[in-house]
Amino acid sequence: MHPVLLTAAALLTSVPAIVGLNNGVARLPVLGYNTWNAFACNIDQDLVLTQAKLMKSLGLQDVGYQHVHLDDCWAEKNRTAQGLLAPDQTRFSRGMKNMTDQLHSMGFQAGIYGDSGWFTCAGYPGSFEHEAQDAQTYQEWGFDYLKFDNCYIPYDDIIREGMIGKYQRMSSAITQLAQTSKQPPIIFSLCQWGWEQVWLWGATVGHSWRTTGDIAANWDALASIINFNSFITQATDFYGRNDLDMLQLGNGGLTFDEAKSHFTAWALMKSPLLIGTNLSAVDDDTLTILKNTEILAINQDAVEGTSISPFRWGINPDWTSNSSFPAQFWSGPSQNGTVFMLLNTLDEPASMFFNLTESPWIRAGRQYSVRDLWAHTDNGTAVRNFTAHAVPPHGVVALLLKDAGNEPSGLQPCAVWDNCASENGTSVQG
Ligand SMILES: *[C@@H]1O[C@H](CO)[C@@H](O)[C@H](O)[C@H]1NC(C)=O
Ligand SMILES: *[C@@H]1O[C@H](CO)[C@@H](O)[C@H](O)[C@H]1NC(C)=O
Ligand SMILES: *[C@@H]1O[C@H](CO)[C@@H](O)[C@H](O)[C@H]1NC(C)=O
Ligand SMILES: *[C@@H]1O[C@H](CO)[C@@H](O)[C@H](O)[C@H]1NC(C)=O
Ligand SMILES: *[C@@H]1O[C@H](CO)[C@@H](O)[C@H](O)[C@H]1NC(C)=O
Ligand SMILES: *[C@@H]1O[C@H](CO)[C@@H](O)[C@H](O)[C@H]1NC(C)=O
Ligand SMILES: *[C@@H]1O[C@H](CO)[C@@H](O)[C@H](O)[C@H]1NC(C)=O
Ligand SMILES: *[C@@H]1O[C@H](CO)[C@@H](O)[C@H](O)[C@H]1NC(C)=O
Ligand SMILES: *[C@@H]1O[C@H](CO)[C@@H](O)[C@H](O)[C@H]1NC(C)=O
């Protein structure tokens, strides 16, 4: 660590490192609902409110999903004579304020969708050169959150301002509006598909940034997103995070085990979790997964903001980028101990073994109690290693290991490292 940082860290051990846009909102990943994956452009005010009511009645709001977001296609194709955005007169005939008032009265925050270019991806008006005006419109309509897309990029203008500059325009408009209106800033979510290494700069302008193209409801798409994001986990912390895209649970195309892997990876990598299911037809398996409060607690950890990261790739050599076979062994710190994710990327069941000290958050010479975050059981005490037996194809194991004191005496002093030595310099083999 840099000496200056070391001193600061030593002095301020209770203050977490903050990499993101620390402007008072979205310190933790946003949990909620988005209409796109289930309904695409076929949305209207009643559909949104129906899904919101289901978020409540199905108990999803109670476990932490606090947002309801529109996606593309809510607007009139043309701005008004004053240059303002207008909601579709038929599908949102009561106006946006009417809808956000109802969402707020149900206890939700409301989200809307826009675009940094000339048009949205579905061809509705974009916000380029209308940023301040549109931010104000969104605020007047009662929106708390903006997803900002990347279609119909202005040609030379974007090159001159740069990709960061293109997103800075709306980010600055939101900041200024918050200052003049004395209202909380709109949460700003970049939907930028990972172009121009957004994970290196996204935190300077927004609270989350998409790192990949659109998700699909099949294992190949999930494996590819997990593989890509496995190399950039350090970009995520409080206030700013890699966005792995909205959830595709319950939309067909995934087995139960694949759906569990999807949810676990997204949650433990601290992605926003936006449900993309038709809740009018949601199945019990999907609800069981979405309501795993032990996994959600890790996603919403108020003490540790970082993502899990791979410590061993498994069937492929470490640091292999392979979009069908991502890293299998992951860990990270949490408020209550070290979290492990074991991902069986194979098409057949597998036993998955790891030595505890392969994870940097584990101390040698200690034993650890094991909590299974899917079985919701305490699974005894791990000494030096752990094996998960018969992990299903494309399945996942999520564990929370808590320090449980010194390991039993009598074990070899140096089990793992082959350059372990005694005080007189003699090497001690495990
Ligand atoms: C919308 O704007 C386009 C030009 O930008 C124009 O050709 C079209 O007539 C307008 N449509 C309406 C309904 O005003
Ligand atoms: C929304 O509009 C409907 C129909 O006009 C009206 O009955 C209702 O009171 C409005 N609700 C809010 C919160 O404005
Ligand atoms: C959502 O589910 C309801 C109830 O089954 C169904 O009527 C509707 O067609 C579904 N919508 C979509 C887009 O799948
Ligand atoms: C840590 O444990 C406490 C007490 O059980 C719980 O309330 C909290 O949600 C846990 N935190 C995490 C990040 O799991
Ligand atoms: C990905 O990894 C699998 C398993 O090791 C291997 O069979 C496959 O050839 C790899 N694919 C590529 C494109 O390297
Ligand atoms: C796992 O650790 C135990 C000690 O708890 C040891 O006896 C065993 O050999 C280890 N297994 C492997 C495969 O290293
Ligand atoms: C933990 O124990 C439960 C209950 O016996 C079992 O179903 C589950 O598979 C165990 N988890 C692991 C990772 O072995
Ligand atoms: C686990 O530790 C044992 C020594 O106890 C060592 O032989 C083995 O190579 C280690 N495995 C991994 C994957 O680190
Ligand atoms: C070095 O220390 C080890 C462990 O205490 C001991 O077994 C060994 O005999 C010592 N070797 C020498 C040369 O003193």
Side-chain angles (χ1 to χ4, degrees):
M1 190 188 270
H2 187 279
V4 174
L5 293 180
L6 184 62
T7 312
L11 287 171
L12 304 170
T13 44
S14 62
V15 179
I18 287 165
V19 299
L21 184 63
N22 180 355
N23 64 358
V25 294
R27 180 173 183 263
L28 301 175
V30 165
L31 299 186
Y33 188 85
N34 175 291
T35 49
W36 185 259
N37 285 350
F39 303 105
C41 279
N42 303 312
I43 53 168
D44 60 41
Q45 54 208 358
D46 294 329
L47 179 138
V48 173
L49 291 169
T50 298
Q51 297 301 309
K53 283 174 192 151
L54 287 162
M55 291 284 282
K56 276 183 97 78
S57 61
L58 295 168
L60 291 162
Q61 188 186 44
D62 281 347
V63 297
Y65 298 93
Q66 305 283 349
H67 281 249
V68 173
H69 297 171
L70 300 179
D71 211 281
D72 204 350
C73 307
W74 56 264
E76 280 289 309
K77 283 273 166 104
N78 287 4
R79 290 174 179 270
T80 67
Q82 293 75 39
L84 296 167
L85 291 168
D88 185 286
Q89 282 176 32
T90 311
R91 291 182 289 113
F92 293 90
S93 60
R94 298 192 294 269
M96 290 303 190
K97 188 71 170 61
N98 182 287
M99 189 182 69
T100 63
D101 280 350
Q102 294 187 63
L103 291 174
H104 288 148
S105 71
M106 284 187 247
F108 291 110
Q109 296 201 52
I112 195 160
Y113 165 101
D115 191 281
S116 58
W118 297 115
F119 301 97
T120 72
C121 296
Y124 295 84
S127 287
F128 185 63
E129 294 181 340
H130 289 273
E131 289 86 358
Q133 189 180 29
D134 291 354
Q136 180 149 12
T137 299
Y138 296 143
Q139 191 182 68
E140 282 168 5
W141 286 347
F143 286 105
D144 311 284
Y145 173 107
L146 173 63
K147 170 181 174 181
F148 210 50
D149 219 336
N150 199 33
C151 281
Y152 296 100
I153 296 172
Y155 44 99
D156 273 352
D157 296 84
I158 173 56
I159 305 302
R160 289 177 191 147
E161 283 182 65
M163 184 61 89
I164 306 173
K166 184 166 71 104
Y167 278 89
Q168 183 68 56
R169 296 170 65 93
M170 181 54 95
S171 180
S172 300
I174 288 171
T175 302
Q176 277 184 5
L177 179 64
Q179 281 161 3
T180 53
S181 68
K182 313 267 189 254
Q183 289 183 42
I186 293 169
I187 298 169
F188 191 40
S189 165
L190 278 60
C191 182
Q192 199 263 358
W193 323 324
W195 283 24
E196 304 212 339
Q197 297 178 285
V198 64
W199 53 93
L200 298 180
W201 54 265
T204 62
V205 289
H207 296 106
S208 61
W209 44 87
R210 282 274 298 283
T211 54
T212 47
D214 282 4
I215 190 174
N218 62 67
W219 176 253
D220 288 349
L222 303 185
S224 172
I225 292 173
I226 293 168
N227 174 61
F228 190 89
N229 281 278
S230 71
F231 296 95
I232 54 173
T233 57
Q234 287 144 298
T236 289
D237 208 333
F238 294 126
Y239 294 107
R241 59 198 64 263
N242 295 331
D243 176 354
L244 279 56
D245 201 3
M246 302 173 294
L247 299 172
Q248 280 284 14
L249 304 169
N251 291 338
L254 299 177
T255 66
F256 184 52
D257 287 308
E258 289 169 344
K260 282 166 67 181
S261 297
H262 176 16
F263 186 72
T264 307
W266 267 235
L268 272 43
M269 292 170 87
K270 305 279 171 80
S271 177
L273 300 176
L274 293 172
I275 298 168
T277 315
N278 179 359
L279 292 177
S280 308
V282 67
D283 59 278
D284 288 345
D285 280 355
T286 300
L287 283 177
T288 301
I289 295 171
L290 292 171
K291 294 206 264 189
N292 184 331
T293 51
E294 291 191 83
I295 299 281
L296 286 169
I298 308 287
N299 180 265
Q300 296 292 299
D301 193 328
V303 178
E304 294 285 353
T306 53
S307 166
I308 56 165
S309 299
F311 58 84
R312 177 155 48 89
W313 265 243
I315 56 153
N316 282 323
D318 288 354
W319 304 108
T320 300
S321 178
N322 182 315
S323 54
S324 306
F325 293 89
Q328 297 184 288
F329 296 87
W330 302 61
S331 75
S334 89
Q335 179 186 6
N336 300 324
T338 304
V339 186
F340 287 81
M341 178 175 82
L342 314 178
L343 198 61
N344 180 12
T345 56
L346 306 179
D347 297 333
E348 65 262 12
S351 265
M352 301 188 74
F353 165 93
F354 62 96
N355 289 317
L356 303 191
T357 52
E358 287 185 83
S359 164
W361 292 279
I362 292 289
R363 299 197 271 165
R366 308 284 286 182
Q367 56 190 345
Y368 286 81
S369 68
V370 178
R371 175 78 180 170
D372 184 322
L373 302 179
W374 278 110
H376 306 295
T377 52
D378 294 323
N379 286 44
T381 305
V383 178
R384 300 211 166 174
N385 56 53
F386 185 84
T387 304
H389 297 281
V391 183
H394 303 174
V396 74
V397 171
L399 305 171
L400 180 62
L401 267 64
K402 287 191 206 192
D403 191 304
N406 282 334
E407 66 182 20
S409 56
L411 293 168
Q412 288 281 356
C414 299
V416 178
W417 282 41
D418 60 9
N419 67 349
C420 178
S422 61
E423 196 178 355
N424 64 19
T426 314
S427 104
V428 180
Q429 294 303 329

